[in-house]
Amino acid sequence: GDSVTQMEGPVTLSEEAFLTINCTYTATGYPSLFWYVQYPGEGLQLLLKATKADDKGSNKGFEATYRKETTSFHLEKGSVQVSDSAVYFCALSPNYGGSQGNLIFGKGTKLSVKP
Amino acid sequence: EAQVTQNPRYLITVTGKKLTVTCSQNMNHEYMSWYRQDPGLGLRQIYYSMNVEVTDKGDVPEGYKVSRKEKRNFPLILESPSPNQTSLYFCASKGISGIDPSSYNEQFFGPGTRLTVL
């Protein structure tokens, strides 16, 4: 079945460091891909998305490119801030049949950014 | 304001005492879903609903029930809660019809319900 694998955390960085969180997927067809973020004590918020191969999603300085050839959707940010401390989830949504609505999540990566 | 609301936000209960967690959305979304979040396991889908009176099991449905009598509401029912259902629960919704296919599969999440079963 479809699945998402993301790098395990926790990840601890200093402010202004470069961030990469790896995400790879296994899916039938051409899923849509997402990064969700969960700040402490809050629900999940959509950070960015890409719906087809080679699309780049971007938001708040974060970027991820849908790479079909490597089945990857790695999250990157050039300069992290303390306010980026959160748990990041990679997810996919199948684009076929009755599964169109469902999200399949990775296990999450906790990011801590130190001043 | 477009939102998904859940109640209660926090609940401590005892084994076997039936409880219901409510979920409501004001975006006229067809699709609604329940997830549980556990450390090291990420989010796992419990049940989902594609529309009124249409529900289906997710990955971890055992011990849970749902109903979808109205489009806006999707309550999660634990008939006989057990300690292994202690978790953080999220409700989500999304539209599945529309003109722009690139926007149709974003899910909006509620704030979460932290349930402890003693």
Side-chain angles (χ1 to χ4, degrees), chain B:
Chain B
E1 179 190 357
Q3 59 183 350
V4 179
T5 56
Q6 297 179 224
N7 282 292
R9 295 289 312 279
Y10 302 91
L11 178 60
I12 300 174
T13 189
V14 296
T15 298
K17 185 176 182 182
K18 180 180 179 179
L19 66 92
T20 299
V21 183
T22 65
C23 173
S24 183
Q25 50 92 6
N26 63 2
M27 295 169 278
N28 201 35
H29 284 166
E30 293 86 358
Y31 176 97
M32 297 185 74
S33 180
W34 277 102
Y35 299 87
R36 59 178 289 173
Q37 181 182 11
D38 301 290
L41 297 176
L43 278 84
R44 295 176 293 168
Q45 190 178 47
I46 302 170
Y47 269 95
Y48 65 98
S49 169
M50 299 292 278
N51 214 323
V52 176
E53 301 292 358
V54 180
T55 63
D56 212 342
K57 296 178 181 178
D59 296 321
V60 288
E62 295 78 19
Y64 304 95
K65 287 175 57 178
V66 292
S67 69
R68 188 87 183 275
K69 293 184 170 59
E70 305 166 282
K71 196 172 188 180
R72 65 183 294 125
N73 296 323
F74 191 45
L76 179 70
I77 303 155
L78 285 71
E79 295 270 5
S80 183
S82 62
N84 64 13
Q85 293 178 297
T86 293
S87 187
L88 179 58
Y89 292 86
F90 289 101
C91 181
S93 75
K94 78 174 197 69
I96 56 174
S97 58
I99 297 173
D100 181 0
S102 69
S103 68
Y104 80 102
N105 49 6
E106 174 181 345
Q107 284 196 28
F108 294 86
F109 283 78
T113 295
R114 185 166 292 282
L115 172 65
T116 301
V117 183
L118 302 174

Side-chain angles (χ1 to χ4, degrees), chain A residues 1-8 20-27 31 33-35 65-75 89-92 104-107 109:
Chain A
D2 297 354
S3 65
V4 174
T5 302
Q6 63 181 103
M7 63 185 287
E8 294 189 18
T20 299
I21 301 178
N22 290 337
C23 172
T24 57
Y25 68 91
T26 302
L33 301 174
F34 306 85
W35 278 100
T65 300
Y66 189 143
R67 301 285 188 200
K68 183 161 173 49
E69 64 275 13
T70 54
T71 61
S72 65
F73 193 55
H74 305 320
L75 183 68
F89 292 92
C90 185
L92 71 82
I104 297 167
F105 286 91
K107 294 184 178 181
T109 303

Side-chain angles (χ1 to χ4, degrees), chain A residues 23-42:
Chain A
C23 172
T24 57
Y25 68 91
T26 302
T28 301
Y30 304 93
S32 295
L33 301 174
F34 306 85
W35 278 100
Y36 278 84
V37 59
Q38 183 180 31
Y39 297 105
E42 298 184 11

